[in-house]
């Protein structure tokens, strides 16, 4: 009976210790569970914060992408407008160049025609100079052809056209011909005066018979004919 009582007391003591240990264990588990719950809450809160931040970043990224796309589209439209404008300017410059080249070709053609006309006029002027000098020699033989040679300084300039020089020679030849004609007219005037004077002397002198030859005219008739001659 005594051992049984000791065993029962021992069993009761063990039960008491087990209850205490269980209570301590349960309390520890509850604390750990509370800590775990707090950690889980913090993790969930951090996850929600990260998700919200991620969504905010996604929103900002989308907005930046939209702005960048809009900016690229605007820049592309501006560049396209500039390219189109440059193309229009290039076309206008090309058309202007073609117009100027056509005008230049027309000017070259007109200049070539003018040079041909100037060459023809120069040839005709040279022929005229030769004819004037020949006429001068016919009117007044022995007169110097190249007299006087007073060439203006402007004609010696390299900018003066050959036609201008030829026309200058023609003017000088005309001046020389005028001088020759004036000298010829003076000579004819003097001759006419002398013939008139001789005629008057013959008419005033007493008539003397002169031998006549067949077919010969009288002296007064010859003088009258010479007087009426130009």
């Amino acid at each position: 009976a005594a051992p049984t009582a000791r065993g029962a007391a021992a069993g009761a003591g063990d039960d008491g210790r087990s209850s205490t240990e269980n209570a301590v264990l349960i309390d520890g588990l509850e604390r750990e569970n509370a800590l775990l719950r707090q950690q889980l809450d913090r993790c969930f809160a951090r996850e929600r914060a990260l998700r919200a931040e991620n969504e905010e970043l996604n929103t900002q990224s989308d907005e930046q992408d939209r702005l960048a796309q809009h900016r690229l589209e605007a820049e592309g439209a501006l560049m396209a407008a500039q390219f189109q404008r440059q193309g229009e300017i290039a076309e206008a410059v090309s058309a202007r160049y073609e117009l100027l080249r056509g005008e230049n070709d027309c000017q070259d053609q007109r200049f070539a025609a003018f040079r041909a006309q100037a060459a023809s006029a120069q040839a005709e002027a040279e022929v005229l100079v030769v004819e004037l000098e020949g006429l001068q020699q016919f009117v007044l033989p022995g007169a110097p052809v190249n007299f006087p040679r007073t060439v203006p300084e402007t004609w010696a300039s390299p900018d003066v056209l050959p036609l201008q020089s030829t026309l200058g020679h023609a003017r000088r030849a005309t001046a020389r011909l005028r001088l020759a004609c004036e000298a010829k007219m003076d000579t004819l005037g003097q001759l006419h005066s002398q013939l008139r004077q001789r005629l008057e002397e013959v008419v005033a002198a007493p008539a003397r018979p002169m031998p006549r030859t067949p077919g010969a005219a009288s002296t007064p008739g010859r003088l009258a004919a010479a007087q009426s001659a130009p």
Side-chain angles (χ1 to χ4, degrees):
T4 302
R6 286 196 300 272
D14 292 334
D15 291 338
R17 285 195 301 270
S18 297
S19 298
T20 303
E21 291 177 358
N22 289 334
V24 172
L25 180 59
I26 290 171
D27 185 57
L29 291 175
E30 288 179 353
R31 289 180 180 180
E32 290 179 0
N33 191 14
L35 292 175
L36 290 175
R37 285 180 181 278
Q38 292 177 359
Q39 292 178 358
L40 287 175
D41 292 337
R42 286 194 297 270
C43 289
F44 290 153
R46 185 178 300 173
E47 182 180 2
R48 287 192 299 269
L50 291 174
R51 185 176 299 175
E53 184 178 359
N54 189 19
E55 292 178 355
E56 181 66 21
L57 291 175
N58 290 333
T59 303
Q60 293 179 0
S61 178
D62 294 339
E63 183 66 19
Q64 291 178 357
D65 292 341
R66 187 182 64 81
L67 294 176
Q69 183 67 24
H70 181 71
R71 184 171 58 254
L72 290 175
E73 291 177 355
E75 292 177 355
L78 179 60
M79 293 178 65
Q82 291 178 353
F83 288 154
Q84 183 178 0
R85 179 60 179 170
Q86 291 178 358
E88 293 176 354
I89 293 174
E91 291 178 357
V93 170
S94 178
R96 181 62 178 173
Y97 173 74
E98 294 295 334
L99 179 61
L100 292 177
R101 187 172 66 177
E103 292 178 354
N104 189 22
D105 293 340
C106 293
Q107 290 180 357
D108 291 340
Q109 294 176 0
R110 289 195 295 268
F111 183 70
F114 172 75
R115 291 183 62 182
Q117 293 175 359
S120 177
Q122 180 181 354
E124 293 179 359
E126 291 175 354
V127 172
L128 179 61
V129 170
V130 174
E131 292 178 353
L132 289 174
E133 292 178 349
L135 183 58
Q136 175 190 349
Q137 291 296 314
F138 176 77
V139 173
L140 191 63
V145 176
N146 297 328
F147 145 80
R149 286 278 183 181
T150 57
V151 181
E153 296 180 357
T154 55
W155 293 359
S157 175
D159 298 332
V160 177
L161 296 176
L163 179 59
Q164 293 176 324
S165 179
T166 304
L167 292 177
H169 294 164
R171 285 192 292 270
R172 293 195 301 275
T174 304
R176 291 194 297 270
L177 178 60
R178 181 176 59 82
L179 294 176
C181 291
E182 290 176 354
K184 191 70 173 180
M185 293 299 294
D186 290 341
T187 303
L188 291 176
Q190 293 177 4
L191 180 60
H192 187 271
S193 299
Q194 293 176 2
L195 290 176
R196 180 182 293 276
Q197 184 178 2
R198 290 180 60 184
L199 179 60
E200 291 175 353
E201 291 176 356
V202 170
V203 171
R208 290 182 298 173
M210 297 182 64
R212 293 186 178 183
T213 57
S218 62
T219 300
R222 289 199 303 270
L223 292 175
Q227 183 178 4
S228 62

